[in-house]
Amino acid sequence: MTTRRLVLTRSAAVVGAASAGLLLPGIVRAQSNRVRVGFMLPYTGTYAQLGVNIENGVRMAINEKGGKLGGREIEWFKVDDESEPSKGVENAQRLVQRDKVDVLIGTVHSGVQMGIQRVARESGVLSLIPNAGAHAATRGLCAPNVFRTSFTNSQPTLALGKPMVDKGLKKAVWITWKYAAGDEAFEGFKQSYTKAGGTIVKELGLPFPNVEFQALLTEIASLNPDAVACFFAGGGAAKFIRDYAAAGLKDKIPLWGSGFLTEGVLDAAGAAADGIMTTMHYADSLDTPRNNQFRKAFATTFKLQPDVYAVQGYDTGLLLAQGMEAVKGDIGNKQALYKALENQTIDSPRGKWTMSKAHNPIQDIYLRRVENKDNKVIGIAAKALADSGAGCKMAGA
Ligand code: BEZ
């Protein structure tokens, strides 16, 4: 067993059997009739906390439904994908071929997701995407067995441009990590900002997960735009917010972004984050009975404050539990299961949402402002926003 493979099972005997070789997991499955669920998430690196919150969210939702899927016990498996795209296929194959999972839940990083997508399409394993927003997963490379419970990378930023221009911020610099998530977030920003009458004066970027922002912040200061818009997430986002303030830009050039910028990082960023404006499909302060109950239960169970990643994990657990309930645990009845997953309404802490034909959430996008370590809702920036699903060729899409 490699050090990256973290297998969670319900008994030491099962751990021993599963670690002994490739044949044994099949035997364990036959004996136990358990549903085998694999997490492929980052548990190290700049996205580590995102992985933890997603897993916690999934477990919480399933526990609330009695801890079973369609009446069947669960056997859990975990792989740390390290947000490393070059290992994406290999890690997904570990879960699918070696551990023989029935369901693969993953991942966070869009580049790694492309490896999962390949394995999912080749193997036909049920694949639930709890974060990674790579367009291709629910566009050109969509598949009947792949469902996303989060967003596409351009969904939040398609709602970002207009509120900026409405505030009189007509010249912006864009800055991001240069990989699919940042590039596709830019696509949404460019479309919405230019349509509203804004001009993008410069696009800046650095490789993921580099956090040496200083030279780029100096360039922003000299360009002196009306505003800066960006995509960053996880530990790197907290550092960007702190460095932006330390460079003296916070009170001179308003900072806007795809909402991941301020998710799960507000304690680490402190006062440097106050006033940042973002668009996102969730906000801590959504004052609904559903969100309030979720936040209280999550904080009590995990001694952590939930964020958008916890919500996406929770919704993944709800979707899986509801789908498995509909087929009474018969995960082999793929046609009925996929139909059930397509037709669910998810009563989420973010607000109710449904699946698009290409298997991506149709959801409201909120405009938020950071106040005292909280993402405060200012309003709805886009109602029931669906991704285009362009290029998805699937029956019904
Ligand atoms: C992505 O790589 O798709 C991603 C990572 C973190 C937050 C949002 C998107």
Side-chain angles (χ1 to χ4, degrees):
M1 185 162 63
T2 67
T3 50
R4 268 177 298 124
R5 183 182 175 216
L6 309 166
V7 180
L8 288 190
T9 54
R10 290 178 183 240
S11 74
V14 174
V15 172
S19 61
L22 280 174
L23 289 176
L24 285 176
I27 294 168
V28 171
R29 175 164 48 174
Q31 286 171 344
S32 67
N33 192 35
R34 290 176 174 166
V35 185
R36 301 166 77 86
V37 180
F39 288 112
M40 179 164 152
L41 292 167
Y43 294 103
T44 51
T46 199
Y47 287 162
Q49 194 56 43
L50 286 60
V52 170
N53 277 1
I54 288 169
E55 181 182 333
N56 287 344
V58 172
R59 287 178 181 275
M60 183 171 136
I62 293 176
N63 282 341
E64 283 179 359
K65 299 257 182 199
K68 292 185 180 177
L69 290 173
R72 292 170 62 186
E73 301 275 353
I74 305 167
E75 191 170 351
W76 300 96
F77 298 82
K78 286 169 68 162
V79 167
D80 176 8
D81 70 34
E82 308 167 50
S83 294
E84 179 47 66
S86 68
K87 299 181 189 166
V89 169
E90 182 191 331
N91 280 327
Q93 279 171 342
R94 278 209 168 91
L95 287 171
V96 172
Q97 291 178 3
R98 183 191 61 189
D99 298 331
K100 307 224 178 311
V101 296
D102 299 298
V103 189
L104 193 164
I105 298 177
T107 187
V108 167
H109 185 288
S110 278
V112 180
Q113 193 65 45
M114 288 300 91
I116 295 181
Q117 195 77 7
R118 194 174 126 190
V119 173
R121 281 164 64 97
E122 285 169 6
S123 66
V125 77
L126 176 61
S127 163
L128 304 180
I129 309 175
N131 186 73
H135 285 173
T138 54
R139 293 192 187 177
L141 294 178
C142 72
N145 55 318
V146 176
F147 293 82
R148 178 150 47 201
T149 55
S150 51
F151 55 88
T152 56
N153 287 319
S154 58
Q155 256 182 319
T157 45
L158 276 170
L160 185 63
K162 186 168 182 312
M164 289 178 70
V165 173
D166 288 350
K167 287 249 182 241
L169 306 170
K170 294 192 177 146
K171 289 199 169 139
V173 167
W174 170 261
I175 179 167
T176 191
W177 277 318
K178 289 298 294 171
Y179 80 103
D183 294 344
E184 293 174 354
F186 177 65
E187 259 181 66
F189 175 62
K190 187 174 171 190
Q191 189 178 321
S192 61
Y193 191 61
T194 54
K195 187 170 166 211
T199 304
I200 299 166
V201 292
K202 185 113 195 200
E203 268 181 78
L204 299 172
L206 69 173
F208 173 87
N210 191 318
V211 290
E212 297 307 318
F213 300 117
Q214 204 46 57
L216 297 170
L217 293 172
T218 304
E219 191 172 349
I220 288 172
S222 72
L223 288 163
N224 196 24
D226 296 340
V228 168
C230 67
F231 167 87
F232 291 109
K239 176 147 191 312
F240 181 73
I241 293 169
R242 286 195 308 265
D243 287 4
Y244 195 86
L249 299 177
K250 177 180 179 307
D251 298 321
K252 290 195 190 132
I253 307 174
L255 181 56
W256 293 61
S258 184
F260 305 104
L261 178 66
T262 57
E263 283 299 316
V265 303
L266 293 178
D267 279 336
D274 280 339
I276 295 176
M277 301 284 294
T278 59
T279 44
M280 171 82 351
H281 46 280
Y282 178 65
D284 314 333
S285 71
L286 279 175
D287 191 13
T288 60
R290 187 74 181 100
N291 188 42
N292 293 335
Q293 171 259 321
F294 164 79
R295 294 193 69 81
K296 197 168 161 206
F298 189 96
T300 307
T301 308
F302 301 108
K303 314 288 176 247
L304 287 169
Q305 284 305 313
D307 54 17
V308 75
Y309 310 107
V311 171
Q312 292 166 181
Y314 184 76
D315 290 2
T316 306
L318 287 184
L319 179 72
L320 181 58
Q322 291 175 199
M324 286 291 282
E325 205 51 56
V327 295
K328 302 201 170 17
D330 184 4
I331 201 163
N333 188 353
K334 293 191 176 186
Q335 224 182 341
L337 178 62
Y338 300 164
K339 201 166 169 27
L341 295 173
E342 281 165 354
N343 291 334
Q344 295 303 315
T345 295
I346 300 299
D347 186 10
S348 167
R350 70 181 102 167
K352 285 188 181 158
W353 61 266
T354 54
M355 270 301 163
S356 74
K357 290 195 172 11
H359 298 175
N360 189 70
I362 301 172
Q363 56 193 336
D364 294 345
I365 307 289
Y366 304 97
L367 178 64
R368 307 120 36 107
R369 183 174 192 279
V370 177
E371 285 173 22
N372 298 322
K373 300 190 178 176
D374 206 9
N375 284 298
K376 290 265 181 250
V377 182
I378 308 290
I380 293 182
K383 186 86 192 139
L385 186 68
D387 185 73
S388 72
C392 174
K393 292 193 179 59
M394 195 161 51

